[in-house]
Amino acid sequence: MQRNTTSHARLLAAAEQVFYEQGIANTNIDAVARAAGVTKPTVYAHFSSKSALAAGALEARQQRIAADLAAQLSGEAAGAPRLNAVFTWLTSWYGHSGHRGCAFLNAAAESAADDVVAAAVRAEKQWLLELLHDLCDEAGCDSPGELASQLLLLIDGVAARVLVHGPDRATESAATAARAAAILIAAASRNHDQS
């Protein structure tokens, strides 16, 4: 059983890296098997299809991102500082891990007709929207649902800019989004305080 668990983890790590670097559409199962150091039958013993492997890799990435972001937020004071810290984290993440933009939006663009991959993408965006909503609510912002949606648009906008203009614009784009988010958060906080 240990070997199966190890193979499964290696497959997810390899798939996450290869799919992110080369794209889901451009990557076949053989490439993932080579990167993981396993055979093609081993891949199919763990995942029923390339779509299932891609979705599993996206889910693993989302769990890693969630843990990394939670660690960032744990050191911040409740309220607006925690909301702003999401964008500090985003700037840092793009600086060291996001050279190809958002893996989830990339997957959505490449696999629009693939229901299995699309479900993993939607789950990540829903998780992020709910996290932002909870942080907006915790900060006492006016209309937390609307503000959370606006903040998610800023985050996704960074990913789009990186996709279109390349990785050299990642840090600058994330920093621009962080400044815009700070303005939105401050305005929502002021409006709430005045009501």
Side-chain angles (χ1 to χ4, degrees):
M1 186 65 175
Q2 179 62 33
R3 180 184 162 118
N4 287 342
T5 302
T6 302
S7 294
H8 191 84
R10 277 201 335 248
L11 275 167
L12 286 175
E16 183 183 339
Q17 179 182 1
V18 174
F19 286 146
Y20 185 69
E21 295 294 330
Q22 299 174 16
I24 295 170
N26 295 330
T27 304
N28 60 33
I29 291 292
D30 293 322
V32 176
R34 277 192 305 277
V38 300
T39 64
K40 190 173 179 178
T42 300
V43 175
Y44 285 114
H46 289 273
F47 297 96
S48 61
S49 65
K50 178 180 166 181
S51 294
L53 177 58
L58 288 169
E59 290 162 4
R61 185 177 188 89
Q62 188 271 323
Q63 291 170 3
R64 211 169 30 78
I65 288 170
D68 192 44
L69 182 53
Q72 170 81 29
L73 296 178
S74 70
E76 299 293 334
R82 281 171 56 96
L83 259 176
N84 285 309
V86 171
F87 289 85
T88 302
W89 171 84
L90 185 69
T91 302
S92 171
W93 185 84
Y94 270 107
H96 65 76
S97 299
H99 63 278
R100 285 205 67 237
C102 174
F104 301 93
L105 293 180
N106 294 350
E110 290 181 39
S111 307
D114 188 321
D115 292 340
V116 176
V117 172
V121 171
R122 282 192 301 273
E124 188 272 344
K125 293 303 170 191
Q126 186 62 40
W127 160 77
L128 187 51
L129 182 63
E130 288 172 5
L131 173 69
L132 291 167
H133 180 276
D134 290 348
L135 291 172
C136 290
D137 195 43
E138 173 189 283
C141 294
D142 214 23
S143 303
E146 182 178 349
L147 179 58
S149 182
Q150 292 167 343
L151 296 176
L152 183 56
L153 283 171
L154 286 173
I155 291 169
D156 288 344
V158 172
R161 184 153 300 167
V162 171
L163 187 62
V164 171
H165 296 288
D168 294 342
R169 300 289 291 278
T171 303
E172 172 196 345
S173 298
T176 300
R179 289 190 297 276
I183 292 167
L184 288 169
I185 293 164
S189 297
R190 274 196 306 277
N191 289 340
H192 182 75
D193 292 341
Q194 291 171 0
S195 47

